[in-house]
Each structure stands twice: as C-alpha cells, then as structure tokens.
Amino acid sequence: MPASPTFSIAVLISGNGSNLQAIIDAIKNNELDATIKLVISNRQNAKGLDRAKEAGIPTLLVDHTLYLNREEFDQAMLDALTRYQPDLVVLAGFMRILSAKFVSALCGKLINIHPSLLPLHKGTHTHKRALEANDSIHGCSIHYVTKELDGGPVIAQSQVPIYPNDTEELLAVRVQKEEHRLYPLCIGLIAKKKLELVDGAPVLDKQPLTNGGIKFRQSNYDTYYLK
Ligand code: NHR
Ligand code: GAR
C-alpha cells in the first residue's frame, strides 16, 4: 500500500512566532507527524519569518497595509493558500480579524490559539484583563475559527494559576509555555483524524467534545484528560 501523504499545514503569524517555533520543533523531534508548507506573515519585521526561513520553510509576506480593505487582503492570503493546498491552516499569534468569506472558504480547516480560557477574555490584552478581573486561573484555548471572533468551538484548553503578585509579563510567560505544548498536540490529533469538525461541532474519537474541549493543567499533560 502506498504511504499516505504527510499531513500539511500553513501557519499565519504576525510577530514573534514562538508558537510557530514550537510546531517546527515538535515536527523535528518526531512528536508531530506533519509538514509546514507555508508561513504567511502580515508584518515584514515578524521574527517568525526568520524562524521559518531558518527551518527552510517557504514564507510569504502579505502586508495588510498595502491592501484597500480587509476583503482584498484576505483574498491575497486565500489565493496563496489555494496554491499550496494545506490540510490545515493554523493561526499562531496572527493579529488581523478575518472576513466571513475567508473563514467559510476554510471551514473546518482553520484553528487559532487564544491566550485565555474562552469564553473569558475574547479579543486582545487578555493577560491584563485576567489580572484586572481578579481571576485565580487563566490559560489558553485552541478553537476552530468561525466568523464570531474568538467564538468558534473550543478544542482544548490549558489552565495556569494566577498568583497574588503576578504581572502581565509573568503571566504571559506561564501561559505561553502551555501554548507551546498544547498547539502541537492539537494539530497532531487533527492530523491523525482523531479530532474533526462535524456539522460545526468538534468530535474527538467519535465523541462530541463539550464543555470547553479537552482540559489540561500546567505540567499535567501525562494524564491527558482531566476529569
Ligand atoms: N477572525 C475570525 N473571523 N474569527 C476569529 O475567531 C479570529 C479571527 C482572526 C484572528 C485571533 C484572535 C485572538 O486569538 C483571530 C481569531 C486579532 C484581533 C484584533 O482585534 C482580535 C482577535 C484575534 C486577533 N485585531 C485588530 C484588527 O483590527 C488589529 C490588532 C493589531 O493589528 O494589533 O484586525 O485573539
Ligand atoms: C500568543 O500568546 C497567542 O496566544 C497570542 O499572541 C501570542 C503570539 O505569540 N495570540 C493573540 O493574542 C491573538 N490575538 P507568538 O507569536 O510568539 O506565537
């Protein structure tokens, strides 16, 4: 039997690209059986572009400031994705809101990592807002992207504690450490066809995923599921 082709992904970034790096490293370390076909950035100075080049991955700059409106910017990215035909498109610190057309063209094949325990703290400045709200736990969520901003069905979450004298910076580091484990793991579940979107709802091992998806806690990945 011929070997099935490797699961392919495209990663969209705007900045540092530490999540991109975590995916690159997971592939390199054989923890994730996938290949990154393309990295798109909307910012020329994104450090993630250097990380991609370093790893020998094709890169594309689609500078949103050069387009008349969001639709034309999105169309330029969609054209590139149509050329590369990835199995999955991964938003990793991508900071531009995507149009309904873009999202529906990639329905079930577009995921995002968001630095909060959704549905809490949608949008930006999530660490600051978690501190201001006096939350005692915080974390990150992976979700399928829909036209509702940060409102698509959640696949998995990882929790971290918030300590009394925490700062935004300390919290960001703690959450990002979880992001770097959670994202490759979720991509792996999708690559292995264990996880998919069926009629708008995430399904894991043929069971619908409810209640904010698979739950992880800091340093507790061995247990895989938390009750
Ligand atoms: N697009 C859709 N349709 N749905 C989602 O769930 C999306 C999305 C695009 C990006 C990531 C998201 C996050 O994880 C994401 C989810 C940017 C903004 C934002 O306000 C909000 C949420 C997210 C990303 N962006 C400003 C804008 O006008 C620009 C901010 C900037 O450039 O720094 O696009 O939080
Ligand atoms: C990550 O923490 C991600 O959750 C967040 O930006 C960071 C990007 O880091 N995403 C958003 O805030 C989306 N609005 P990275 O570029 O180092 O992966």
Side-chain angles (χ1 to χ4, degrees):
M1 211 165 67
S4 54
T6 310
F7 186 82
S8 67
I9 65 182
V11 184
L12 271 52
I13 60 165
S14 297
N16 181 21
S18 69
N19 278 287
L20 167 66
Q21 190 68 57
I23 299 164
I24 292 172
D25 294 346
I27 294 172
K28 212 179 283 169
N29 298 333
N30 293 317
E31 291 159 5
L32 172 61
D33 188 13
T35 177
I36 306 176
K37 273 186 165 172
L38 177 66
V39 169
I40 301 179
S41 173
N42 66 306
R43 294 195 185 275
Q44 185 169 13
N45 58 2
K47 183 170 174 211
L49 281 174
D50 300 329
R51 297 177 189 269
K53 285 173 194 151
E54 180 71 23
I57 300 164
T59 60
L60 184 67
L61 172 69
V62 184
D63 181 345
H64 64 277
T65 64
L66 302 180
Y67 292 84
L68 279 177
N69 52 45
R70 281 183 197 268
E71 285 67 28
E72 290 192 16
F73 166 65
D74 284 7
Q75 190 59 50
M77 292 196 294
L78 210 45
D79 289 347
L81 292 169
T82 304
R83 284 197 301 278
Y84 280 83
Q85 290 282 312
D87 296 311
L88 183 71
V89 177
V90 172
L91 305 182
F94 181 73
M95 294 308 292
R96 301 298 300 174
I97 296 170
L98 296 161
S99 61
K101 184 181 173 202
F102 183 95
V103 171
S104 69
L106 293 167
C107 181
K109 290 181 165 195
L110 181 61
I111 61 173
N112 176 44
I113 188 156
H114 181 76
S116 79
L117 297 174
L118 290 170
L120 293 175
H121 311 309
K122 296 178 177 180
T124 53
H125 306 292
T126 58
H127 308 307
K128 183 163 181 271
R129 284 158 57 208
L131 288 172
E132 282 168 1
N134 263 315
D135 293 349
S136 58
I137 58 166
H138 187 44
C140 54
S141 307
I142 316 273
H143 65 93
Y144 281 103
V145 174
T146 64
K147 62 179 170 23
E148 275 74 51
L149 190 64
D150 296 329
V154 175
I155 297 167
Q157 298 187 318
S158 185
Q159 300 181 352
V160 302
I162 298 185
Y163 299 120
N165 291 317
D166 256 339
T167 62
E168 233 180 288
E169 293 72 26
L170 286 170
L171 202 46
V173 170
R174 202 174 305 135
V175 169
Q176 283 226 336
K177 196 163 169 241
E178 297 308 298
E179 294 188 353
H180 300 161
R181 294 199 282 191
L182 194 61
Y183 222 177
L185 192 151
C186 289
I187 295 167
L189 290 176
I190 297 171
K192 283 185 244 153
K193 313 264 183 299
K194 286 170 74 70
L195 179 79
E196 55 189 343
L197 197 66
V198 181
D199 298 331
V203 172
L204 177 69
D205 291 331
K206 316 251 184 281
Q207 304 288 327
L209 261 182
T210 50
N211 279 338
I214 311 168
K215 297 279 193 287
F216 294 94
R217 250 176 238 150
Q218 207 181 16
S219 315
N220 209 0
Y221 278 70
D222 301 345
T223 56
Y224 189 88
Y225 273 110
L226 280 179
K227 299 276 180 255

